Amino acid sequence: MRIAVIGGGPGGLYFSVLAKQLGPHHEITVWERNAPDDTFGFGVVFSDETLGGIEHADPGIYRRMEAEFARWDDIDVHYRGQVLTSGGHGFAALSRKRLLEIMQRRCRELGVTVHFLAEAPDVAQLAATHDLVVAADGLNSAVRSKYADSFNPDLEQRSCKYMWLGTDKVFDAFKFYIRETPYGVMQAHGYPFDAHGSTFIVEMHEDVWRGAGFDASADRNLAPGESDETSIARVKEIFAEELGGCSLRANNSKWINFATVRNENWRHENVVLLGDAAHTAHFSIGSGTKLAMEDALALAACLHEQPTLDDALTAYEAERKPIVRSTQRAAQASLEWFENLGQYVGQEPEQFAFNIMTRSRRVTYDNLRLRDPEFVARADAWFAERQPHRPGDGPATPPMFHPFRLGELELVNRIVVSPMDMYRAVNGVPDDFHLVHMGGKALGGAGLVMTEMVCVSETGRITPGCTGIWTEEQTAAWRRLTDFVHGESAAKIGVQIGHSGRKGSTRLMWEGIDRPLPEDNWEVVAPSGLPYREGVNQVPRELTHADLDEIEQQFVDAARRAEAAGFDLLELHCAHGYLLSSFISPVTNRRTDEYGGDLAARLRYPLQVFRAMRRVWPRHKPMTVRISATDWVDDGITGDDAVEIARAFADAGAAAIDVSTGQVTPDEKPAFGRSYQTPYADRIRNQAGIPTIAVGVISSYDDVNSIILAGRADLCALGRAHLYDPSWTLHAAVEQGYTGPGATWPLPWQAGRRKPQTGRTDGPKPRLQLIREGRSGTRHARWLP
């Protein structure tokens, strides 16, 4: 093959090396517009996992890199005068310049042609004269721009400013420095890359950056390669204590807003993207160089393994895109954490350190405990000290099993069974299925069991199978269920009350979710006459003021019946595009009266309903509100709006906000993934100052412990996990060796508290393995050049 590589950074060079090794007869030419010894940036950091791939791909390159490595295991969090250290992480770094020199030397040894100080010929010309063109031309890829219609790129610019610097201070570990200033919170992170220097990255929200006056020098037009020396001098002054008199080094150093690059497709005919041209991930979770080198390894392997170029490029994209997307999700969580850093500076050092370590959701409570049990034990002890004393609990109690008080209602643990529609009711009456469904979850150890959305009227149902609470028969059936939960378990039981609005009169879920009934449809209503799906769902009748009064009374009557039914908690459903949610969202509310317009006006009716219910609901029993914290569409509800919505309901008397997202419009594009809605609960809790319930693909006790201990939410609601295992909470206690009062086994079940035995495993005993490796406990290696 004739292969052209545009860009002589680590990704392009490493691909050239590997492809030439696997196919010595390939003719590979690299064009690099900079000189061989030019480099932008300072150190490159690798994880042990990445190094394993590099070691096996080209032992020669690996040995040369290894000889240069600064190695360490610790991460130090410097916050409010304390240094909290987490060990066992395994890092290696080296100078970017030395990495390039190693790659360039290896290219020469293998016969790869590299042109320096040379702009590549036009990509169309290269594509016509070469079998393959590899575009490794970086963040501002000209190739990506030329073929944008094929690649379909998306560049998302974020709201923090950062500057990449170096220092002659040689750090002995990875450092997070959190500096509170009169302008707001700033952070720097640094790591060593050799015996003489370290990388030092300074980052802050753009509002803080402007408040500190950095915009004054940044507005100057700097020449190519020129650094913002005025800002650098100011950074050195602000972080003087951290730098300890050492200098800062500049290398084309200026303020940047991070841009996340995503491409729907990575190839155009015989042109393929690699590294930053294809994707970027925020520097706070890893290195773009690392990702580019992993791309290079995969592309070279696919070219060698597949019978045709088309097959190879298809396999490359199929292999790398899921990995990169996963990395980008973690990076997005991390960068958003730093964008919202100011909301965490009220946390105490132990919680803050745990929070920053788990910010990307890739590192979790259990993962940290494996790496550094002492670090997690310290965080656990801190958390335990701040909980109500309960006999049987102590510093080692997992966070999820500490009690929590919602108003005057005490829950034995932090687990909530999320509302899940069962579609099994007849005329709104819950039956034996509901008794077993919710009763089983209560016996299974959850602290709070929530009903499905219970509808306030026959025409307020979603489907004919939905439950209701508009008759005495329904109330009595609910009373049977609450009596069982109270008599047989330690759980509390809450009712979620709502009205379907424009999403009503639809089929059962398994018959076609959100699809209208084939016959016997009832009239649906909404704040505005906008159907859920144009041409599919009914056009709802726009509610009159008389209608609003009638529906408000239905909610009030439902609250009275819920008390008569014996519920411990009442949740008002203002999410998922149902009636009250559709008042709040600008996507669904186009009214011109006092119930439409700005957010305050759109909130008026839901707040009016909440206050009316609160007046008849007993004062000693809490009310919560479920909201959709974003509509996942342009011009819909945003995270900023969600904080204001939460504040409004808190002022009206809500004890907590149950934070969900979306389902308001079929046009939504959610960023779906593990714990994907938790950042909204986190933001509301730490900005609005009200307890929150996190929901959304939280499926492991590890995630629950991580969320609770980091202070991102107070309770975690799990749905599908409880369908899979009704005794999820009790089993989580067994898995963690917890036997305290936060996990109450029914007396007849106590013989099952011990995990059943399984077949023999022949793996080595971990303790003996540690002895053979000559180590035990947490690894706390530091970099000592």
Side-chain angles (χ1 to χ4, degrees), residues 354-436:
F354 181 85
N355 196 351
I356 199 171
M357 293 301 302
T358 58
R359 68 195 179 280
S360 72
R361 304 198 289 272
R362 273 194 164 182
V363 176
T364 62
Y365 178 89
D366 273 1
N367 185 270
L368 269 181
R369 190 166 57 178
L370 283 173
R371 298 177 190 218
D372 190 344
E374 295 87 359
F375 177 84
V376 174
R378 179 177 176 180
D380 277 342
W382 171 87
F383 190 76
E385 287 172 3
R386 281 146 187 83
Q387 307 310 312
H389 175 70
R390 188 171 60 176
D393 281 335
T397 297
M400 64 180 285
F401 289 115
H402 283 287
F404 186 72
R405 186 176 289 276
L406 270 175
E408 296 181 36
L409 180 68
E410 184 164 305
L411 307 177
V412 296
N413 59 49
R414 306 300 185 98
I415 301 302
V416 179
V417 176
S418 196
M420 293 175 280
D421 290 321
M422 294 290 105
Y423 308 107
R424 283 292 303 265
V426 177
N427 297 323
V429 180
D431 60 12
D432 287 350
F433 185 92
H434 297 88
L435 176 66
V436 173

Side-chain angles (χ1 to χ4, degrees), residues 34-223:
N34 295 309
D37 56 350
D38 284 348
T39 182
F40 302 105
F42 297 92
V44 179
V45 66
F46 297 97
S47 66
D48 287 344
E49 180 183 3
T50 301
L51 291 176
I54 294 172
E55 180 178 9
H56 290 98
D58 187 329
I61 278 185
Y62 178 79
R63 283 193 298 270
R64 291 171 188 172
M65 290 172 61
E66 187 179 36
E68 305 281 343
F69 280 153
R71 283 192 177 274
W72 71 96
D73 293 300
D74 284 355
I75 298 175
D76 292 342
V77 180
H78 295 250
Y79 174 71
R80 295 201 162 178
Q82 292 194 37
V83 181
L84 294 96
T85 299
S86 174
H89 296 281
F91 292 107
L94 77 163
S95 145
R96 181 179 170 86
K97 185 173 182 179
R98 281 296 297 133
L99 178 61
L100 287 172
E101 289 171 353
I102 291 168
M103 298 287 187
Q104 292 164 6
R105 177 180 170 185
R106 190 69 173 132
C107 282
R108 290 193 297 270
E109 292 172 353
L110 293 170
V112 174
T113 301
V114 184
H115 299 299
F116 292 104
L117 293 172
E119 292 287 346
D122 181 74
V123 63
Q125 178 186 336
L126 289 175
T129 56
H130 290 73
D131 299 295
L132 173 66
V133 179
V134 179
D137 53 343
L139 172 65
N140 300 311
S141 171
V143 175
R144 187 183 64 225
S145 297
K146 184 178 180 70
Y147 296 125
D149 288 346
S150 293
F151 296 126
N152 196 10
D154 172 49
L155 278 69
E156 179 189 14
Q157 189 156 297
R158 303 303 301 189
S159 59
C160 275
K161 290 283 190 180
Y162 74 98
M163 182 183 288
W164 204 284
L165 297 163
T167 175
D168 56 2
K169 180 171 183 175
V170 181
F171 299 124
D172 60 357
F174 198 106
K175 302 283 187 177
F176 284 114
Y177 293 112
I178 309 302
R179 168 67 67 185
E180 295 176 70
T181 75
Y183 322 104
V185 64
M186 304 178 185
Q187 68 98 4
H189 76 239
Y191 56 86
F193 57 77
D194 62 19
H196 308 290
S198 302
T199 297
F200 194 78
I201 306 170
V202 179
E203 185 180 32
M204 64 200 74
H205 194 279
E206 192 159 348
D207 294 342
V208 178
W209 178 80
R210 291 190 184 281
F214 284 118
D215 56 326
S217 60
D219 287 343
R220 289 193 305 111
N221 288 322
L222 298 174

Side-chain angles (χ1 to χ4, degrees), residues 7-16 44 96 99-100 103 274 289 292-293 296:
L13 294 176
Y14 192 48
F15 164 77
S16 302
V44 179
R96 181 179 170 86
L99 178 61
L100 287 172
M103 298 287 187
L274 184 148
T289 299
M293 290 177 68

Side-chain angles (χ1 to χ4, degrees), residues 364 400 674 697-705 718 721 728 732:
T364 62
M400 64 180 285
R674 194 177 109 253
V697 200
I698 302 168
S699 52
S700 72
Y701 62 78
D702 188 19
D703 285 336
V704 173
N705 285 327
L718 293 83
W728 184 91

